[in-house]
Amino acid sequence: SLVGQAGWGLESGPARGDLRAIARMQNKSLLRIGADDLMGLATEEETFLRLTELGEDVLQAVYRLAWGPLVRRWGKPRNRQGRDVRFAVLAAGKFGGREMDFGSDLDLFFVYEGDGKTRRGVPNSVFFTEFSQRLIALLAEGGLYSVDARLRPEGASAPMAISLVGYRRYLAQRAATWERMALSRARQVAGDAEFGSRVLRSIERFVYSREVDAALVAQMQEMRQRMEPQGKRQTRINIKRGPGGIVDIEFVAQVLVLKWGYRDRDLHVGSTRLALQLLVEQGYLDSERGHFLLDAYEYLRAVEKGMRLASERASDALPTGRELEILSRALGAKDVASFQDEVEIWMRQTRRIFSTVFAELTD
């Protein structure tokens, strides 16, 4: 890809100029993806996949930009036997599921192979924490992507990177139940691929370590409730976090993947759309419900994409005024009122299915 090509050989030039080059390539790619989408030359699924691949290209280019100077400054991280220590960047959320939208963040967490020191005596923990922070800072500095790293062990107050031994210990002893659902979409996106596979095997054992029981389902329902807009934020339709929004569909897919993925490895997928298709095909989800959720997911993601393209402000709530009129026309509605009615109909039925599925899982 053009972005990937722009990233090669970046170590020799000044970081700011290299970031500008990556940003130019990213903007060109975004224009192509947006034009193809608007002209109907790409499906929703193809657009989201291309946006995800662009995110990977940019991340890997900036990874190379951040790595070289730190190695020159501190030396390569090595273990106690003198071997190079490997590192993996892992994705979750829509980036992990290959379903990124325009303006999406990168959900990332960072794992390194083990303890030791660099040639200049810097502990590996310090090196990889600094590298992770530098990577995030360069992505932000270049105006490329915001990074959400809250999924890392122990949350926002914890070090940015963790050793594999420490991560396995965390998964076994302290990881919250809801993290099983969040990590079901994890995949490696930068760093050493073989080591990334080792990390993912540990994650897979944690995610599918036991069957889904009524207590876990209740915890998921409670978490979903906490995600819903409260107070004044309820005055506008929130197509992502509101009742019957995109998150409802993601929760249904993920809870059923956890329930049946315990014994069916074919369900170990990160994409919400693919998960729903497989759940229907394998008989784990009623066909009528499953096909409705697939249609609702496509419709609501199209609304979300239209909102992202129509406004520079990142919001999950339907816009107002002129922006709402433009969005309504772009999505084929005859007027604003009929568009809002259509959105509400999709979301009401989605919430009914969500409530029914979760109620059945607690019986």
Side-chain angles (χ1 to χ4, degrees):
S1 70
L2 289 174
V3 172
Q5 292 168 18
W8 287 111
L10 289 177
E11 296 177 18
S12 60
R16 192 165 297 172
D18 294 328
L19 285 173
R20 284 198 294 267
I22 295 172
R24 284 195 297 271
M25 295 303 178
Q26 182 195 41
N27 288 334
K28 288 180 182 178
S29 296
L30 285 171
L31 284 171
R32 283 197 299 273
I33 295 169
D36 287 350
D37 182 76
L38 289 170
M39 292 187 291
L41 300 177
T43 65
E44 297 287 333
E45 188 174 5
E46 288 168 342
T47 295
F48 296 143
L49 180 59
R50 289 174 68 186
L51 289 169
T52 301
E53 290 171 342
L54 177 60
E56 292 171 11
D57 284 343
V58 170
L59 173 65
Q60 289 162 14
V62 177
Y63 183 105
R64 292 189 289 272
L65 180 61
W67 182 262
L70 201 59
V71 168
R72 287 195 296 272
R73 178 181 168 194
W74 285 343
K76 285 187 177 181
R78 301 188 191 280
N79 62 19
R80 291 181 178 88
Q81 290 73 43
R83 297 191 186 94
D84 289 352
V85 169
R86 297 174 295 177
F87 181 73
V89 181
L90 298 108
K94 286 189 171 62
F95 192 27
R98 295 184 172 90
E99 296 176 316
M100 281 182 68
D101 203 344
F102 293 96
S104 288
D105 293 344
L106 303 184
D107 292 280
L108 301 176
F109 58 106
F110 309 92
V111 183
Y112 60 94
E113 194 169 20
D115 292 332
K117 294 181 179 180
T118 71
R119 180 171 50 83
R120 297 189 181 175
V122 176
N124 290 350
S125 59
V126 174
F127 179 97
F128 287 113
T129 295
E130 175 68 20
F131 174 72
S132 302
Q133 291 171 338
R134 179 61 174 157
L135 180 62
I136 292 170
L138 286 173
L139 287 165
E141 182 184 332
L144 303 168
Y145 291 102
S146 297
V147 171
D148 185 344
R150 289 174 295 178
L151 192 58
R152 68 185 185 273
E154 314 293 359
S157 61
M160 195 61 70
I162 188 170
S163 70
L164 180 55
V165 169
Y167 190 48
R168 285 171 173 166
R169 187 183 303 121
Y170 171 80
L171 292 176
Q173 298 176 4
R174 299 189 303 283
T177 304
W178 64 265
E179 291 179 80
R180 290 179 62 191
M181 187 165 64
L183 288 170
S184 67
R185 306 173 81 178
R187 65 188 180 91
Q188 191 250 350
V189 287
D192 187 276
E194 194 279 331
F195 174 63
S197 296
R198 284 179 61 195
V199 179
L200 288 172
R201 286 195 292 273
S202 296
I203 291 172
E204 189 175 48
R205 285 193 293 272
F206 165 70
V207 170
Y208 302 103
S209 58
R210 59 185 176 87
E211 292 189 84
V212 171
D213 56 20
L216 175 58
V217 174
Q219 287 181 25
M220 291 180 175
Q221 277 185 298
E222 184 182 343
M223 182 173 71
R224 175 65 186 105
Q225 247 181 345
R226 291 199 302 268
M227 294 173 70
E228 292 180 11
Q230 304 296 324
K232 292 181 180 179
R233 288 180 293 173
Q234 288 182 303
T235 57
R236 288 158 57 196
I237 300 172
N238 189 304
I239 58 114
K240 182 176 180 179
R241 296 178 182 271
I246 293 167
V247 173
D248 269 14
I249 303 172
E250 293 173 340
F251 266 58
V252 169
Q254 289 168 5
V255 73
L256 291 176
V257 162
L258 288 188
K259 179 174 178 59
W260 301 111
Y262 175 74
R263 51 191 172 189
D264 188 344
R265 291 184 57 84
D266 289 344
L267 295 176
H268 296 189
V269 296
S271 161
T272 299
R273 182 182 282 103
L274 180 56
L276 289 170
Q277 291 169 347
L278 290 171
L279 287 163
V280 170
E281 289 171 9
Q282 306 281 28
Y284 299 123
L285 176 61
D286 173 80
S287 178
E288 185 177 346
R289 292 177 187 170
H291 285 112
F292 177 87
L293 290 177
L294 280 164
D295 290 343
Y297 189 69
E298 184 170 353
Y299 176 78
L300 292 174
R301 290 298 310 271
V303 173
E304 180 185 50
K305 176 165 60 66
M307 289 164 55
R308 297 285 179 89
L309 288 172
S311 174
E312 293 183 358
R313 298 188 303 274
S315 174
D316 300 325
L318 286 183
T320 56
R322 181 64 176 164
E323 283 186 9
L324 183 57
E325 292 178 16
I326 294 170
L327 180 63
S328 302
R329 286 202 301 270
L331 290 165
K334 65 178 182 180
D335 54 44
V336 167
S338 60
F339 171 65
Q340 289 179 306
D341 287 345
E342 185 176 14
V343 171
E344 288 178 343
I345 289 168
W346 279 106
M347 291 179 68
R348 276 199 300 271
Q349 181 59 16
T350 296
R351 174 44 65 103
R352 288 193 194 101
I353 294 175
F354 170 89
S355 300
T356 301
V357 169
F358 272 77
E360 290 172 353
L361 290 172
T362 54
D363 284 345

